[in-house]
Each structure stands twice: as C-alpha cells, then as structure tokens.
Amino acid sequence: QIPSGLREASLETVVPRGGSERVMVVLGEHRGQVGRILEREPERGRALVRLGREEPRVLPLPYDAICHYLGGDDD
C-alpha cells in the first residue's frame, strides 16, 4: 500500500547490492514471490533470480520488477 500523498510514479524499488540477497517480485506474473539474486546484469538492467523452494526456477527479471526483501524465512 502506498502512503497517502505519494504517487506510485514517485517511488523506486531498492535492489540489494550484496551477494545472494533476498528479493520479492513486485511486478508481473510472479508478483509476491520471494527469491534470491544469483547474478546481476547491470548492462541489461536485470538480475537472474531463483524463485521457489520445492521446484526452483531461475528467471531474468528487470530491476524494476524486484525489491529488497526483509521478511522472515516463512514469508
């Protein structure tokens, strides 16, 4: 939810800089899923992200589609 008085266009997601950092997908068909960054591709503006535990998938996702995730392991 966006706080009152802010426009969505004014917000920017934060992509973690450290290795193997947890992220949440905030746009697209995988929205709401949590994963880990495996590799960054800054020249392409995207990261390779592993999603899922039981049947993990590795997807190239644009930086705008992911954000740093600070939730618990069960989230």
Side-chain angles (χ1 to χ4, degrees), residues 10-74:
S10 300
L11 302 175
E12 186 173 330
T13 58
V14 175
V15 177
R17 293 184 181 185
S20 190
E21 292 288 343
R22 294 175 66 201
V23 294
M24 177 179 277
V25 181
V26 294
L27 294 174
E29 69 178 277
H30 302 288
R31 183 178 179 192
Q33 292 187 33
V34 175
R36 291 198 180 273
I37 292 178
L38 300 176
E39 181 180 328
R40 288 169 182 72
E41 297 178 340
E43 67 283 350
R44 299 178 103 175
R46 69 182 191 182
L48 295 179
V49 178
R50 185 184 74 221
L51 296 176
R53 290 182 184 194
E54 299 299 316
E55 298 178 31
R57 296 185 274 184
V58 176
L59 301 172
L61 296 172
Y63 287 158
D64 287 343
I66 58 176
C67 71
H68 198 176
Y69 180 70
L70 299 175
D73 286 337
D74 295 333

